[in-house]
Amino acid sequence: MERLGCKIIKEKLLADLAKRTQEFVAKGNRAPSIAVILIGSNGASESYVATKCKMAAELGFVHFDYRFDEDYTQDELLSLIDRLNADPEVDGILVQLPLPKHIDEESVINRISKDKDVDGFSPYNIGRLMLGQECFEPCTPKGIMEILRYYGISLSGKNVTVIGRSNIVGKPVAVMCMQKGVDATVTVCNTKTPDLKAHTLSSDVVIVATGRPSTIDASMVRDGATIIDVGVNRITDGSRPKGYRVVGDVDYDSFNGTSCRVTPVPGGVGLMTVVMLMENTYAAALRRAR
Ligand code: NAP
């Protein structure tokens, strides 16, 4: 098995982005900036937000942090987004998902200005993605395409199976794989797919985004296939200091002894997602400065 580690890609991309940011600022532009909003106290969300803010700071970006208790209302959040949309000091807005149950995610995503939607989740940006037009691409799918590019894995003429059809991963990555110029033949599976193995076995690349550990193992793919594991799952592990460990959606160890290429978890797609958020924020700053 070849481990498609992403730390090296992350470091390379960040070094390049830091250099571009310095040049941008040296030309007299204000540094790129991102407003990060976190509501409630979900452990995983808090750690994602901390990683995003740390990376923004390391790149020389400005970040505005908004933390609110679980009982923050939808109206309050929508008003805050309106203010940030109108604020010329803010290039990108990120609302950390999931939101508490009393807040409608769709309304919140729809409220973010299309020009500050650096997560790429709004109907405007998703619509443009679908049409193959320039847009803020959703960060995780964009990161997956970077991994494939870095490791020289062409999708042209290849069979790709995407397992999962969420709006933030499965659907957009499927669209990106089928775009003209990428040219994969794409199958998208869900929980009602009767014979998942039939699809994965005939695929050159399998992208797994289900949120279920061990959705696939080595017996379900052909030898030599590339497996992109998007999953992030905390499973109980009494031997770890935190009482859990993080695994993906793929039975990684089952690939030992095969010729498959597999992204690890941790150390894989998750690293790329944050870098792509910073790339989108930089792109928003460039647009603002034009
Ligand atoms: P989601 O909204 O829960 O969607 C999961 C999808 O997987 C659904 O479409 C579901 O089908 C499908 N599915 C679940 N089990 C399946 C099975 N056994 N066979 C076929 N399809 C199956 O999840 P998501 O937001 O896309 O996230 C997926 C995973 O990626 C999670 O572990 C999440 O934490 C992780 N994630 C990681 C990153 C990162 O940066 N690394 C970013 C985003 C998400 P139905 O539609 O039929 O229910």
Side-chain angles (χ1 to χ4, degrees), residues 174-192:
V175 168
M176 288 163 91
C177 291
M178 72 170 79
Q179 277 325 355
K180 251 197 184 327
V182 183
D183 301 328
T185 303
V186 183
T187 304
V188 184
C189 300
N190 58 69
T191 50
K192 305 290 188 301

Side-chain angles (χ1 to χ4, degrees), residues 157-214:
K158 300 287 172 54
N159 289 334
V160 173
T161 290
V162 178
I163 312 179
R165 56 176 164 184
S166 71
N167 291 336
I168 62 169
V169 187
K171 279 187 211 164
V173 82
V175 168
M176 288 163 91
C177 291
M178 72 170 79
Q179 277 325 355
K180 251 197 184 327
V182 183
D183 301 328
T185 303
V186 183
T187 304
V188 184
C189 300
N190 58 69
T191 50
K192 305 290 188 301
T193 302
D195 187 358
L196 194 59
K197 190 170 174 178
H199 298 288
T200 53
L201 264 182
S202 63
S203 296
D204 305 287
V205 176
V206 180
I207 300 171
V208 194
T210 60
R212 299 193 189 177
S214 300

Side-chain angles (χ1 to χ4, degrees), residues 106 108-112 114 117 120-131:
E106 201 178 304
V108 170
I109 290 168
N110 288 349
R111 196 69 160 240
I112 299 171
K114 64 179 174 52
D117 170 35
F121 291 164
S122 69
Y124 176 87
N125 280 305
I126 291 287
R128 288 185 67 90
L129 178 78
M130 193 74 181
L131 296 169

